[in-house]
Amino acid sequence: MSATWEDIVKEKRSQLYNKIPKEWRFDEKILNRLKADKTSLSKNLDLVCPELENEITHSTILKLKEKISSNTLTCYQVSYAFCHRAALIHQVLNCLSEIMFQNALEYAKNLDINKSKISELPPLYGIPISLKDQCNVVGVDTTLGYVSRAMKPKELNDESLIVTLLESLGAVTYAKTTVPPSMMATETNSNLFGYTLNGLNQNFSTGGSSGGEGALISCSGSLLGLGTDIGGSIRIPSSYHGLFGLKPSTGKIPYLKVDNSFEGREIIPSVIGPLAKDLDDLRYFLEVIVNHCKPWKYDVNCSPYEFSHYKDYELRKEKGKPFIVGIWYGDGVITLPPSDLRALKYCKEVIDQALIAGEHIRTMEWDPPVELNKELHDLAMEADIADAGNEISLEFSKSGEPTIDILKPMVEITNSHTYSVNQWWDLSRRCYITKQKFREYYNSLAEDQRPDVIIAPTTLTAFRPGDMMKTSLRYILFVNVLNFPSLSIPVGNVDLMKDQKMDVTTALNPEDEMVIQYWNSLVDSGEVENFPIGLQIISPIFQDDNVCRFGSWLMHKIDKK
């Protein structure tokens, strides 16, 4: 008798749990306490973990690199601390899809044994890096959240290039993290693994699709992990966890042999990028992957590129021209909540003070045409449903598992049909035309009104499990259509003494009314208090390193303020 989908789920969950060492498993009483205290998981885990492990997991990659190099810490100690912490976090948040602790610790031991034989240590020697489930690792599954792909470990020739490169750099890969099936949802839930909760506030979603990464990193189970982004999948979890996350432009970080839905889609392709607690760590990682590994030698979709040094905080500008920062206060479709407006105004204040202090930088209000904003959003939505949900439906049907609620809007599309080749070509043509319109708008501005970077909102508000459709992606999707790099940054937290309810009678349209009402419900409940506010820094001129460079400059100013 063939196994039912429920049998496979039971087997997969059992396999995952059994890979957690028995001495690391919580008893039911402690586990319930950790789940009951919704907003203090990381602090509570600090009480459980030894002091040295806390020092390691609350450190940075750059500091750990120095300590490993100076023999203050061993690779094994560092890897053990993160494996232990990840195991504890997973039992509360349900954020891991694959556990590779045993192999990771054996690998770390070998790194220690061989260390004295190496004249110059590789750039990530002994540094643990977590991976979104899409990354193929030999000997473990890549399920993409589908039951049909469980219990089918990857072979040697399946390994993702980025995983091969990480090993060559001395990094330790120890866990893969949860995703929603197909990665086409901003909420991380699946029949296979269940729901992944937010690491900072378990009342809320972790976001998606790199939701497991966001949850793990937020509680110090990882310092840096890899996510992917086709419609906010790096930036949304980063925003919801107070992290830094880079959605790079296409061809910067290798995607070769990374499993994905809609493989071969050239309109609005998925990109791979890092999420991290520390921006210097993120920049160092990018510099190493790009400058040291030169991935274009191996992946034909990667372009030769140089990433700026992580310690360089100077702003790149033309001679005699100030660095111009656009501030986007709204797209004319969705009204920003008070928290986001306050964060944007705070960024402007920081930059204005730098100008007064004599720095060659200034702000301007970024206000592209409303119709252009709508067009970019609609094209992204059209591309996502061009196959009428057939791929997702087929994958669910292979195992007989039911379609989960968060994907029903893509699968149960009324009066929808799969695009023909000609219709797809037409969509490609319209995307190209609209991107060109944006470029022409940018070029039509006076030279002193063309921003080097734009600070924009991202997620607008947190949402409770199951409420994904009550939020908006209008400040997310346009970035993917335009293929702009975007860095998610944390700028403060919601303060309900300042960020109060909105006037629903001023709503611009029904969608805006829905978002306003949802914000007001969060204010009424008080649950959103202290939730992180995430903004994004966008380069309208395709400069990935510039968004990170400016991000470092801005965060340095904010930290000093």
Side-chain angles (χ1 to χ4, degrees):
M1 230 179 125
S2 59
T4 66
W5 73 266
E6 291 97 337
D7 293 331
I8 298 171
V9 167
K10 185 177 180 181
E11 182 182 3
K12 183 63 186 177
R13 293 187 185 185
S14 177
Q15 178 198 69
L16 190 63
Y17 183 74
N18 288 334
K19 287 183 178 180
I20 300 174
K22 291 181 180 179
E23 63 272 21
W24 292 356
R25 298 176 192 173
F26 288 123
D27 64 40
E28 188 175 355
K29 190 175 182 180
I30 293 175
L31 186 58
N32 287 337
R33 284 180 184 173
L34 291 169
K35 289 183 176 182
D37 191 351
K38 302 291 187 183
T39 59
S40 303
L41 179 58
S42 191
K43 291 179 181 178
N44 288 333
L45 292 180
D46 288 348
L47 301 176
V48 174
C49 296
E51 184 178 348
L52 178 60
E53 288 188 20
N54 289 333
E55 289 177 9
I56 291 170
T57 57
H58 290 295
S59 186
T60 68
I61 288 175
L62 294 172
K63 289 176 182 176
L64 292 178
K65 180 176 180 291
E66 290 176 4
K67 290 183 177 181
I68 290 172
S69 180
S70 65
N71 295 318
T72 306
L73 288 172
T74 65
C75 299
Y76 183 84
Q77 285 174 312
V78 173
S79 291
Y80 186 94
F82 281 101
C83 288
H84 183 207
R85 185 93 175 189
L88 303 183
I89 294 166
H90 171 68
Q91 292 174 72
V92 181
L93 301 181
N94 192 35
C95 59
L96 302 184
S97 61
E98 300 296 331
I99 286 174
M100 305 177 288
F101 300 158
Q102 185 175 348
N103 288 345
L105 293 174
E106 286 297 323
Y107 182 64
K109 279 183 185 177
N110 288 329
L111 290 177
D112 288 325
I113 292 169
N114 296 319
K115 186 180 171 187
S116 61
K117 306 171 188 175
I118 303 171
S119 57
E120 184 178 352
L121 296 181
L124 292 174
Y125 200 82
I127 301 298
I129 302 291
S130 52
L131 306 169
K132 187 175 182 179
D133 185 75
Q134 290 172 256
C135 296
N136 290 334
V137 177
V138 177
V140 298
D141 291 346
T142 297
T143 65
L144 308 185
Y146 288 117
V147 175
S148 61
R149 299 193 180 201
M151 315 311 293
K152 297 174 182 177
K154 293 295 183 178
E155 303 290 340
L156 183 61
N157 62 353
D158 297 321
E159 185 171 83
S160 300
L161 174 59
I162 190 68
V163 174
T164 304
L165 294 179
L166 286 172
E167 184 174 346
S168 73
L169 295 166
V172 180
T173 54
Y174 61 107
K176 298 212 296 177
T177 52
T178 51
V179 299
S182 80
M183 282 79 61
M184 299 303 292
T186 60
E187 189 166 13
T188 301
N189 186 25
S190 67
N191 292 317
L192 186 58
F193 295 111
Y195 202 92
T196 300
L197 294 169
N198 188 288
L200 300 184
N201 188 330
Q202 295 171 53
N203 292 306
F204 292 109
S205 168
T206 190
S209 63
S210 309
E213 278 300 323
L216 182 67
I217 297 170
S218 72
C219 292
S220 300
S222 174
L223 294 178
L224 184 145
L226 288 173
T228 62
D229 194 312
I230 197 172
S233 292
I234 289 172
R235 291 162 289 154
I236 295 169
S238 296
S239 173
Y240 285 166
H241 290 97
L243 304 175
F244 298 96
L246 179 70
K247 174 230 153 303
S249 47
T250 304
K252 297 301 188 291
I253 302 177
Y255 215 105
L256 184 64
K257 294 187 179 181
V258 172
D259 279 11
N260 198 17
S261 293
F262 306 159
E263 288 194 56
R265 182 175 117 167
E266 294 298 323
I267 301 178
I268 323 174
S270 179
V271 292
I272 191 166
L275 299 82
K277 297 198 84 168
D278 183 89
L279 186 49
D280 282 349
D281 283 351
L282 183 147
R283 293 184 70 189
Y284 176 71
F285 174 84
L286 290 166
E287 182 189 33
V288 167
I289 291 295
V290 174
N291 299 357
H292 184 93
C293 295
K294 302 186 187 329
W296 54 86
K297 290 184 176 182
Y298 316 103
D299 185 345
V300 296
N301 282 337
C302 283
S303 304
Y305 176 65
E306 188 76 14
F307 196 85
S308 62
H309 192 274
Y310 73 96
K311 287 184 178 177
D312 184 356
Y313 294 100
E314 292 182 10
L315 300 177
R316 185 174 291 176
K317 56 184 181 294
E318 296 175 22
K319 188 176 181 180
K321 178 180 179 288
F323 192 90
I324 301 173
V325 181
I327 310 287
W328 198 18
Y329 295 108
D331 66 350
V333 181
I334 299 296
T335 307
L336 300 188
S339 55
D340 287 59
L341 279 173
R342 181 168 57 83
L344 288 165
K345 290 175 181 177
Y346 179 66
C347 289
K348 182 182 187 308
E349 178 186 326
V350 169
I351 297 166
D352 289 346
Q353 288 180 358
L355 175 64
I356 292 169
E359 296 198 46
H360 210 43
I361 185 171
R362 67 174 181 81
T363 62
M364 58 161 285
E365 187 167 331
W366 176 249
D367 189 25
V370 173
E371 289 306 314
L372 186 54
N373 300 331
K374 290 180 179 178
E375 198 170 336
L376 288 164
H377 174 268
D378 292 347
L379 285 168
M381 297 296 287
E382 185 177 349
D384 286 349
I385 62 171
D387 83 329
N390 283 342
E391 180 182 299
I392 296 172
S393 295
L394 177 61
E395 204 65 55
F396 279 131
S397 69
K398 287 178 182 178
S399 66
E401 66 171 309
T403 305
I404 60 174
D405 289 343
I406 59 176
L407 290 175
K408 284 181 179 178
M410 292 191 69
V411 172
E412 300 172 358
I413 307 164
T414 306
N415 299 323
S416 185
H417 65 279
T418 303
Y419 274 28
S420 66
V421 171
N422 296 91
Q423 287 172 320
W424 186 251
W425 287 347
D426 179 64
L427 177 58
S428 300
R429 178 185 62 83
R430 286 185 284 121
C431 281
Y432 180 43
I433 289 171
T434 305
K435 288 192 284 187
Q436 187 61 37
K437 283 183 191 175
F438 192 95
R439 176 57 48 198
E440 289 168 359
Y441 167 74
Y442 182 86
N443 289 339
S444 72
L445 300 173
E447 189 172 351
D448 63 355
Q449 292 296 306
R450 295 177 196 163
D452 295 285
V453 296
I454 299 161
I455 304 178
T458 48
T459 50
L460 304 180
T461 182
F463 67 89
R464 304 181 189 94
D467 287 351
M468 182 183 79
M469 300 307 294
K470 295 179 182 178
T471 60
S472 176
L473 293 176
R474 288 191 180 271
Y475 293 97
I476 292 283
L477 296 177
F478 79 96
V479 176
N480 298 87
V481 180
L482 294 169
N483 191 28
F484 289 163
S486 174
L487 175 71
S488 181
I489 61 169
V491 184
N493 302 81
V494 174
D495 181 348
L496 293 181
M497 293 293 289
K498 301 173 182 176
D499 307 321
Q500 299 183 352
K501 292 173 69 172
M502 302 168 68
D503 183 357
V504 74
T505 65
T506 64
L508 303 172
N509 51 66
E511 184 184 358
D512 193 30
E513 182 179 351
M514 175 191 70
V515 174
I516 290 173
Q517 286 178 338
Y518 194 70
W519 165 261
N520 289 347
S521 75
L522 295 178
V523 174
D524 282 337
S525 72
E527 295 169 301
V528 77
E529 175 71 21
N530 207 41
F531 200 81
I533 303 168
L535 302 179
Q536 59 182 328
I537 300 169
I538 302 160
S539 168
I541 45 180
F542 305 103
Q543 293 184 347
D544 293 55
D545 60 339
N546 224 23
V547 298
C548 293
R549 189 191 297 261
F550 172 74
S552 292
W553 178 91
L554 180 63
M555 298 311 295
H556 180 66
K557 296 292 183 184
I558 288 174
D559 289 343
K560 287 177 65 178
K561 192 169 167 52

